[in-house]
Every structure is written in structure tokens, then in C-alpha cells.
Amino acid sequence: MSTLTDTRNRPLRDLRISLTDRCNFRCTYCMPRELFGAEHLFLPKRELLDFDEIERIARIAARLGVTKLRLTGGEPLLRRDLDVLVARLAAIDDIHDICLTTNGSLLTAKRALQLKTAGVNRVTLSLDALDDERFKAINDVGFSASKVREAVDNAVAAGLAPVKINCVIQRGVNADQILPMAAAFRHTGVVLRFIEYMDVGASNGWRMDDVVTAREIVDTLRTRYAITRAPAAQPGETANRWHYDDGAGEIGIIASVSQPFCGGCTRARLSAIGELYTCLFGVHGRDLRGPMRSGANDAEIAALLAGIWRAREDRYSEQRGEQTAGRRDGDGDGRVEMSYIGG
Ligand code: SAM
Ligand code: SF4
Ligand code: SF4
């Protein structure tokens, strides 16, 4: 295992790969229709990394210490022949875990099984409300919550376990869905994770007041359920784990805003066109595609990647307090969008 570490002694362990900047949803907090409407120019296909290029970067990253890949986007299931890519990634030595984050709209029973067979270990689905009308308003394309629940069932049936659900909570939008969501997924083995709404990108008009903190989420859950904090399963875990005292299962809370976890952040992100970001809140990525397309060999790409990681200083969430002090709410300072580099 490589001992490559950054300036804060954090190893490189996870690579999140954005497979496309496109999405068939227009979640109001991620790809608001006003900014991602008919006029929006998505990347042309030739700009996207092809499967050879993605596999090559993953292979080089694995040699530098990466053991876990997460395929995301945009909506990763929009990428044709995804199972072919997965099989190639699963064959890389030292990659032990391949996860997928999806909105579930295209996760049929057949596709779930294909992905499992190809080598996806786990799936995280996003579902921000149980109430159909509310969910349709959030995804802004009229997709119903029950269809996402079918996709959850498809993932479970395919053995993509443990299936997790991401639920981003925004004040005044879906905080009243915390208890119904908890009720729906207790006793199912599916791990529901509430996520604090983050100031990613520049298009969602984020304000600190919109954030429902982990503390508030726990307090809400405790109005109905007895829950106890569980120790982290592994170091650097992003979610705070909780258990229902009655044995109904696990629940997670990702407190990226109120309890930042930069100290244990071992993640790099690769955009769909091959830029490497060392933080979700990055402004500029470093281009790996250019050198690859102009003939750099593996050793040169590895040296480039290692150099970027060694110089990494990012701890945006820990510094958010200081940074937002001098900034207007909703002013993204040029930060890259979540749909562009993946969650
Ligand atoms: N389209 C896929 C999906 O929705 O699962 C994958 C990409 S999406 C960007 C990944 C995750 O990021 C989703 O669970 C989404 O809810 C979350 N996300 C997007 N914007 C966010 C924000 N501002 N704060 C917190 N989570 C966010
Ligand atoms: Fe698409 Fe996922 Fe963003 Fe929603 S959160 S717009 S599904 S990329
Ligand atoms: Fe990692 Fe950046 Fe998030 Fe901190 S703010 S946990 S460094 S991605």
C-alpha cells in the first residue's frame, strides 16, 4: 500500500469518478432549472473521459493508495454500458470496493443485477422526500418517490448491500420529511442517511439559515424514536452512525457543515472531463486528460497525480466559518458545481 500523503498527513484512499455532467433530474438545490435549462451547454461526448481513460486513471490511483471507487455524476446511469466500465474497474488490483450514487430513476431490476454481476458492491440512492408531491417539486421533473423506492427494492434484490439512501434536508423544504422517511426505512436493512445541506457550487443560493443541523435532525428523530450514537465502523467515516434502541436498524447523519470531517478526508474527485479536484469545494481542478491525450506515460501521470496529492492543503469545511464571514450568503466564489464533480 502506498504511503502517499498530503500536507496534513492524509492518505489518498477514495476516488470519486463523475461519469457525466448530465442529469435527468433538476433538483432545485443541485441543478436548478433556471441555470440548467434548455440553453445550458452540457459537455459534448468527445470531451468526456472514455472508458480506457477512466480505467487508466483508476489503475494509476490504485497504485498510489486508492482502494475504493465511487461512480457518480450528474446521473451515472445515463452513461451507456456502465456495467462494461465497472467490470474493467473491478479487475484492478487493490480496488476492493466499487460504489454507485444514483437518483434511481434508471435502476431497473435488470440493470441492478447487471451492475452487481459486473462488480458494483454497494449503491446509494438519493431520496429527499417520501411525500410524492414534495419529491416531485424537489426533483422538478415530476419523478415520483414510489419509483425511487422501487429502485431501492431492485438494489436490495440484486444484493447491492448495504443499500443506503441519501436525504438532503433543507429548512422550509423537507425538514418535515425526517420522521416519515425514518418510519419508511426502519426494519428494512436499508441505511437512511440525512445530509446537512452544503454550500457546494454557486448556483443553489445556499444560506446558512437553510441548513438543518445534525443536532436538530437528532432532536427531531428523538421526538419519536430512542436512538443511540454508535462508534465509527472505520476511521474517516463521513456519517455519524446511530442505532434505533429497539433494534430497527441503523441511521446515519452527515454533518458536513456543523461538524466538519476534513481531518479524515481521503477523497479525490475526478470530473467527467478528467480534472482532479482534491476537495468538494474546489474552484479549479487539475487536468489529467490533456497529458493523457498528448501521450504522457503511466509514470508521468502517476507523478502528476502524486504531486497534486502531496501539495493538498484542503480543509474547506473546517474553514467555512472564517470564509463565510466575509462572504454574502449564496455567493459561491466560483466553486465547482456538485453535478459537475459528483457528490
Ligand atoms: N445524481 C446522483 C444522485 O442524485 O444520487 C449522483 C450525483 S448527486 C450530485 C450526489 C449526491 O449529492 C446526492 O445524494 C445529492 O442529494 C447530493 N447533493 C447535491 N447537492 C448537495 C448539496 N448542496 N448539499 C448536500 N448534498 C448535496
Ligand atoms: Fe441530478 Fe443528483 Fe443533482 Fe439531483 S442531486 S440534480 S439527481 S445530480
Ligand atoms: Fe474533504 Fe474538502 Fe469536504 Fe473537507 S471540505 S471533508 S477536505 S472534501
Side-chain angles (χ1 to χ4, degrees), residues 29 72-75 101-103 126 166 168 197-198 200 204 338:
Y29 59 86
T72 176
E75 176 45 46
T101 305
T102 173
N103 62 28
S126 303
N166 279 354
V168 177
Y197 175 43
M198 290 186 284
V200 200
N204 61 16
M338 184 91 141

Side-chain angles (χ1 to χ4, degrees), residues 90-128:
I92 299 174
D93 283 345
D94 296 324
I95 295 296
H96 305 307
D97 201 11
I98 300 183
C99 318
L100 177 76
T101 305
T102 173
N103 62 28
S105 59
L106 302 167
L107 194 64
T108 57
K110 185 175 165 206
R111 201 122 189 242
L113 212 50
Q114 270 174 350
L115 289 167
K116 171 69 183 176
T117 309
V120 172
N121 305 99
R122 297 183 287 131
V123 168
T124 299
L125 291 113
S126 303
L127 180 62
D128 297 322

Side-chain angles (χ1 to χ4, degrees), residues 261-262 265 267 269 279-281 312 314-317:
F261 37 78
C262 302
C265 180
R267 289 176 290 281
R269 293 176 158 84
C279 179
L280 180 54
F281 298 91
R312 177 185 191 240
D314 306 283
R315 53 185 198 94
Y316 175 84
S317 285

Side-chain angles (χ1 to χ4, degrees), residues 61-295:
R63 271 186 236 132
L64 295 174
V66 165
T67 57
K68 176 176 161 185
L69 302 177
R70 179 170 295 277
L71 305 178
T72 176
E75 176 45 46
L77 290 177
L78 287 176
R79 194 81 189 240
R80 203 178 301 156
D81 298 328
L82 183 55
D83 55 319
V84 174
L85 174 67
V86 168
R88 290 174 64 168
L89 297 175
I92 299 174
D93 283 345
D94 296 324
I95 295 296
H96 305 307
D97 201 11
I98 300 183
C99 318
L100 177 76
T101 305
T102 173
N103 62 28
S105 59
L106 302 167
L107 194 64
T108 57
K110 185 175 165 206
R111 201 122 189 242
L113 212 50
Q114 270 174 350
L115 289 167
K116 171 69 183 176
T117 309
V120 172
N121 305 99
R122 297 183 287 131
V123 168
T124 299
L125 291 113
S126 303
L127 180 62
D128 297 322
L130 204 64
D131 175 76
D132 234 13
E133 290 319 305
R134 191 77 56 82
F135 184 59
K136 285 177 176 172
I138 295 173
N139 65 53
D140 206 13
V141 292
F143 200 84
S144 76
S146 54
K147 287 238 175 74
V148 179
R149 293 183 72 180
E150 279 171 28
V152 172
D153 293 343
N154 293 341
V156 171
L160 291 161
V163 173
K164 293 183 182 168
I165 294 185
N166 279 354
C167 180
V168 177
I169 299 295
Q170 287 175 270
R171 195 179 306 286
V173 175
N174 63 343
D176 64 330
Q177 295 293 298
I178 294 172
L179 289 173
M181 285 287 289
F185 293 105
R186 278 163 48 82
H187 295 293
T188 62
V190 169
V191 180
L192 174 62
R193 305 180 324 160
F194 293 110
I195 303 184
E196 287 180 352
Y197 175 43
M198 290 186 284
D199 49 335
V200 200
S203 64
N204 61 16
W206 182 91
R207 297 176 316 135
M208 187 64 209
D209 290 350
D210 300 332
V211 180
V212 179
T213 63
R215 183 74 260 159
E216 293 175 86
I217 294 170
V218 168
D219 288 347
T220 304
L221 288 167
R222 283 193 160 147
T223 60
R224 189 164 311 161
Y225 305 111
I227 55 171
T228 304
R229 180 81 184 261
Q234 33 193 309
E237 211 166 55
T238 49
N240 297 337
R241 298 168 66 233
W242 294 77
H243 283 296
Y244 291 105
D245 291 357
D246 64 1
E250 184 182 325
I251 197 156
I253 303 184
I254 304 187
S256 355
V257 178
S258 66
Q259 298 160 37
F261 37 78
C262 302
C265 180
T266 57
R267 289 176 290 281
R269 293 176 158 84
L270 186 66
S271 77
I273 60 167
E275 301 147 319
L276 193 80
Y277 286 83
T278 53
C279 179
L280 180 54
F281 298 91
V283 174
H284 301 294
R286 294 282 297 277
D287 181 32
L288 301 183
R289 187 192 64 179
M292 280 198 301
R293 290 193 180 174
S294 42

